[in-house]
């Protein structure tokens, strides 16, 4: 569903219009907004934060006769509001491409470009938003677009206050869905009634939380009928950062032979990068006082069959959860590691991290892939081991008459194991360390109670897909190496394959070589997740 953008000059008002409804934005310097539903503070750092008056109404009740149409199509929702240099900007998705279909009617789109519309200034109104790339192209003809104030494309874009943010949001690492809650794994969202339920969005992975929060608060003040209408208009969007991709499995390559179907299956990998301690490869390491770690990524493998049967398996990666830093160096392996806090000053944050993981996922099994001979990695592993032994979850408890430990660890020296003639194939030796725990963690398995359908009510609201849960995942593997990149991704590929093999064995099936090739290809593409460019300082 594409939105339109309308602008009224005096007083300055911007309208995002769907087919049936309109979300109205007006900069408001006074303490009250006349005729609109709410006065919101746009996020920013200024002492006197500008306010934005917002209203939501049926399109037929919105008089647009004094407005000019500045974007006739191609707008796919708003990421929210941002305050920069005392100006308020509305951020909208101006180009995207579908990259995944997790289940029927659950599409994921990659953001290709965003635009910013200022609510209180016309300085950039003459700048065309149609197809303007945030990356200046020295080979592009300047007359392809119309730019304002007599400046060429490069000058206009350099002067735009939101340029840095626009470049990052348009960099191909952000994804959104208007069909379902992309911030939560399938197991946690099966009971959700809305694609944009502010109560269920996972702030750990909601990258536009800073910008969308004012609009979520606005939504919370609407009536239930208005909330449903706003959700169905698909104007508000929630964005994750990471990697999402679906590959199609032809019927001939499907691992299910007993369930005959001429329709293809799908295999999807969704990786959600945490926004709570993000940064580039060497600029963000370790843990913070709240238990958040650098490069924390939740990765989910989803297999869907035309019969409606759906498999999901989740695992996480993250930096070694102690306080440490790594300086950059010009030569490989010359980056100096420094542990910055004592064990006594670290344990509380360490425990908080694993208690949060246990609350979200159940039993945690640590897979530490660091070297047992490289001095710096050995030092980190020793401290890691020390905190595990003292950890609040490292205790044996009784559960239904059985003894269970909620925090388990395995050490797998990746480089030592793979340095022989077998090479990276030897990484599969990790199976012997985790097979029993992998089997006990299980996986999510569900099937539809009824196929999603359109209900002919006044709102045209879709009925969410109802699922019957057959089995649930009851634990999580947390994998790390030094930088949580290549070593971690290869081991996570194996862990994902083990879960799929368990699922198929329970049904008496085996996957084809083509299926595993596509699985490996997906995970190879997923490899660089966790080290994107940082967001601007004002976020």
């Amino acid at each position: 569903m594409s939105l339109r953008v309308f602008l009224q000059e005096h007083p300055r008002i911007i309208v995002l219009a769907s087919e049936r409804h309109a979300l109205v934005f007006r900069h408001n310097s006074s303490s009250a907004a006349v005729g609109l539903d709410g006065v919101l503070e746009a996020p920013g750092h200024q002492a006197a934060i500008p306010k934005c008056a917002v209203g939501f109404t049926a399109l037929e009740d919105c008089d647009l006769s004094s407005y000019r149409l500045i974007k006739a199509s191609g707008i796919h929702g708003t990421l929210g509001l941002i305050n920069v240099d005392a100006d308020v900007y509305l951020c909208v998705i101006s180009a995207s491409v579908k990259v995944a279909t997790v289940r029927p009617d659950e599409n994921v789109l990659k953001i290709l470009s965003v635009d910013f519309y200022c609510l209180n200034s016309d300085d950039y109104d003459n700048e065309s938003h149609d197809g303007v790339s945030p990356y200046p192209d020295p080979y592009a003809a300047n007359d392809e677009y119309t730019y304002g104030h007599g400046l060429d494309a490069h000058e206009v874009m350099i002067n735009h206050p939101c340029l840095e943010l626009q470049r990052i949001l348009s960099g191909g690492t952000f994804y959104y869905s208007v069909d379902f809650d992309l911030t939560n794994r399938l197991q946690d969202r099966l009971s959700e009634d809305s694609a944009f339920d502010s109560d269920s969005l996972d702030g750990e992975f909601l990258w536009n939380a800073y910008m969308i929060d004012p609009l979520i608060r606005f939504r919370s003040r609407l009536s239930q009928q208005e909330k449903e209408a706003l959700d169905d208009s698909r104007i508000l969007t929630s964005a994750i950062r990471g990697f999402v991709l679906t590959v199609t499995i032809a019927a001939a390559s499907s691992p299910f032979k007993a369930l005959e179907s001429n329709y293809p299956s799908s295999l999807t990998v969704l990786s959600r990068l945490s926004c709570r301690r993000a940064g580039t490869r060497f600029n963000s390491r370790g843990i913070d006082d709240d238990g958040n770690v650098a490069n924390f990524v939740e990765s989910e493998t989803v297999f869907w069959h035309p019969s409606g049967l759906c498999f999901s398996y989740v695992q996480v990666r993250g930096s070694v959860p102690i306080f440490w830093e790594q300086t950059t160096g010009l030569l490989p392996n010359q980056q100096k590691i420094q542990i910055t806090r004592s064990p006594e000053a670290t344990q509380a944050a360490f425990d908080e991290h694993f208690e949060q993981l246990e609350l979200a996922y159940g039993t945690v099994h640590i897979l530490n892939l660091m070297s047992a001979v490289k001095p710096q990695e050995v030092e980190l592993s020793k401290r890691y081991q020390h905190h595990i032994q003292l950890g609040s979850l490292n205790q044996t408890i009784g559960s239904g008459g059985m003894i269970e430990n909620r925090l388990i660890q395995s050490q797998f020296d990746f480089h030592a194991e793979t340095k022989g003639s077998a090479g990276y194939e030897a990484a599969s030796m990790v199976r012997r360390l985790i097979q029993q725990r992998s089997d006990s963690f299980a996986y999510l398995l569900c099937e539809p109670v009824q196929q999603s359908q359109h209900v002919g009510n006044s709102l045209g609201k879709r009925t969410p897909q109802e699922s019957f849960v057959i089995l649930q995942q009851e634990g999580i593997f947390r994998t790390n190496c030094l930088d949580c990149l290549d070593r971690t991704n290869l081991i996570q590929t194996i862990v994902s394959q083990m879960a799929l093999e368990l699922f198929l064995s329970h049904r008496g099936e085996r996957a084809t070589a083509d299926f595993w090739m596509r699985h490996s290809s997906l995970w190879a593409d997923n490899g660089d997740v966790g080290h994107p460019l940082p967001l601007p300082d004002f976020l």
Side-chain angles (χ1 to χ4, degrees):
M1 181 185 297
S2 182
L3 307 175
R4 294 169 293 164
V5 183
F6 294 87
L7 171 66
Q8 177 179 273
E9 302 285 357
H10 303 290
R12 189 171 177 84
I13 300 176
I14 293 176
V15 174
L16 291 183
S18 67
E19 293 180 355
R20 308 178 70 168
H21 293 90
L23 195 60
V24 184
F25 299 86
R26 187 181 73 193
H27 177 255
N28 183 63
S29 58
S30 65
S31 60
V34 179
L36 296 178
D37 297 326
V39 180
L40 307 175
E41 294 182 352
H45 291 291
Q46 287 71 19
I49 300 177
K51 294 183 178 180
C52 172
V54 181
F56 180 68
T57 182
L59 187 59
E60 61 185 18
D61 296 330
C62 188
D63 182 6
L64 298 175
S65 59
S66 60
Y67 291 73
R68 63 183 175 95
L69 182 64
I70 58 176
K71 191 77 173 181
S73 63
I75 298 299
H76 307 286
T78 177
L79 294 175
L81 300 162
I82 184 72
N83 179 40
V84 183
D85 297 332
D87 291 328
V88 182
Y89 293 87
L90 175 67
C91 178
V92 298
I93 301 170
S94 53
S96 62
V97 61
K98 187 172 80 170
V99 294
T101 300
V102 182
R103 297 189 297 171
D105 299 323
E106 291 185 351
N107 299 310
V108 182
L109 298 97
K110 178 191 289 188
I111 297 175
L112 299 181
S113 69
V114 299
D115 288 335
F116 289 87
Y117 295 98
C118 188
L119 299 185
N120 59 299
S121 171
D122 61 359
D123 288 348
Y124 299 96
D125 284 359
N126 291 330
E127 177 188 334
S128 172
H129 292 269
D130 293 323
V132 177
S133 170
Y135 303 95
D137 183 356
Y139 302 103
N142 286 334
D143 60 359
E144 286 186 4
Y145 310 113
T146 301
Y147 294 87
H149 306 291
L151 303 177
D152 64 18
H154 182 75
E155 291 174 311
V156 171
M157 294 306 295
I158 287 298
N159 289 331
H160 199 292
C162 300
L163 172 64
E164 186 179 359
L165 180 56
Q166 185 182 29
R167 283 179 171 173
I168 293 172
L169 291 174
S170 305
T173 61
F174 288 89
Y175 301 81
Y176 74 99
S177 176
V178 295
D179 300 322
F180 69 101
D181 174 11
L182 190 54
T183 67
N184 276 296
R185 60 175 175 162
L186 181 58
Q187 183 165 311
D188 291 337
R189 65 179 174 84
L190 286 177
S191 61
E192 294 179 12
D193 294 329
S194 168
F196 205 93
D197 187 342
S198 58
D199 295 329
S200 60
L201 292 173
D202 190 340
E204 174 92 17
F205 306 112
L206 182 61
W207 273 79
N208 64 320
Y210 187 78
M211 295 192 294
I212 203 67
D213 179 66
L215 297 180
I216 289 180
R217 287 187 281 113
F218 165 77
R219 177 187 178 277
S220 69
R221 297 197 289 265
L222 299 177
S223 68
Q224 184 60 37
Q225 185 178 21
E226 289 172 325
K227 287 180 182 178
E228 293 177 358
L230 178 57
D231 293 344
D232 196 60
S233 71
R234 305 188 180 190
I235 296 176
L236 305 185
T237 56
S238 55
I240 68 164
R241 196 175 196 182
F243 172 83
V244 185
L245 188 63
T246 292
V247 295
T248 300
I249 309 296
S253 299
S254 173
F256 284 121
K257 303 305 179 185
L259 299 175
E260 294 184 5
S261 174
N262 294 324
Y263 296 99
S265 307
S266 65
L267 185 65
T268 304
V269 170
L270 307 94
S271 283
R272 307 169 179 93
L273 173 65
S274 172
C275 58
R276 290 180 176 163
R277 187 166 169 76
T280 53
R281 181 172 181 180
F282 297 111
N283 291 335
S284 184
R285 295 295 203 194
I287 199 169
D288 65 16
D289 286 302
D290 295 321
N292 304 307
V293 296
N295 308 319
F296 183 80
V297 180
E298 176 191 83
S299 293
E300 180 176 17
T301 304
V302 179
F303 173 75
W304 177 85
H305 187 266
S307 66
L309 205 64
C310 190
F311 158 96
S312 167
Y313 186 81
V314 170
Q315 53 188 312
V316 297
R317 68 175 74 176
S319 186
V320 175
I322 63 175
F323 292 93
W324 63 286
E325 298 174 351
Q326 186 175 19
T327 59
T328 58
L330 297 176
L331 299 176
N333 302 316
Q334 295 299 309
Q335 297 82 19
K336 183 179 179 181
I337 293 173
Q338 180 180 5
I339 297 175
T340 57
R341 286 199 194 178
S342 68
E344 295 77 14
T346 300
Q347 192 67 46
F350 182 94
D351 288 343
E352 178 66 20
H353 173 68
F354 282 101
E355 287 170 6
Q356 290 174 6
L357 287 183
E358 195 270 340
L359 181 64
Y361 303 106
T363 299
V364 181
H365 190 133
I366 298 166
L367 272 174
N368 182 10
L369 309 181
M370 290 193 295
S371 171
V373 296
K374 294 181 180 179
Q376 296 192 95
E377 294 193 18
V378 169
E379 181 183 10
L380 274 180
S381 291
K382 285 182 177 179
R383 278 291 299 272
Y384 200 175
Q385 172 67 27
H386 170 80
H387 290 293
I388 291 171
Q389 291 176 345
L390 297 178
S392 59
L393 294 182
N394 189 24
Q395 50 186 316
T396 302
I397 61 174
S399 177
M402 300 183 65
I403 302 301
E404 183 181 11
N405 193 335
R406 305 295 282 174
L407 184 62
I408 307 102
Q409 64 159 327
S410 295
Q411 179 77 33
F412 185 79
D413 186 340
F414 183 93
H415 288 315
E417 296 287 348
T418 59
K419 68 179 181 181
S421 58
Y424 288 153
E425 293 293 327
S428 61
M429 294 296 290
V430 75
R431 288 172 173 263
R432 57 184 169 83
L433 296 178
I434 64 173
Q435 185 68 63
Q436 182 177 359
R437 189 61 59 174
S438 176
D439 292 348
S440 68
F441 285 169
Y443 47 84
L444 173 73
L445 183 62
C446 62
E447 60 183 6
V449 174
Q450 62 181 32
Q451 297 296 326
S452 62
Q453 54 187 311
H454 294 270
V455 179
N457 59 21
S458 59
L459 297 175
K461 183 175 174 59
R462 297 180 304 127
T463 299
Q465 182 169 310
E466 298 181 22
S467 298
F468 175 74
V469 177
I470 302 171
L471 188 65
Q472 286 192 322
Q473 184 175 342
E474 297 181 349
I476 194 84
F477 284 103
R478 185 201 189 277
T479 309
N480 74 272
C481 53
L482 187 64
D483 55 15
C484 299
L485 276 175
D486 298 336
R487 285 179 281 182
T488 294
N489 196 70
L490 181 53
I491 295 301
Q492 286 196 314
T493 305
I494 296 170
V495 172
S496 173
Q497 180 169 339
M498 291 174 67
L500 279 163
E501 288 172 348
L502 180 65
F503 159 57
L504 294 174
S505 69
H506 285 168
R507 305 190 67 84
E509 302 279 8
R510 295 185 63 181
T512 64
D514 180 70
F515 179 87
W516 291 128
M517 181 189 69
R518 294 175 186 275
H519 174 267
S520 296
S521 177
L522 264 180
W523 274 92
D525 291 340
N526 178 64
D528 288 335
V529 68
H531 295 275
L533 293 171
L535 287 177
D537 291 338
F538 56 75
L539 288 182

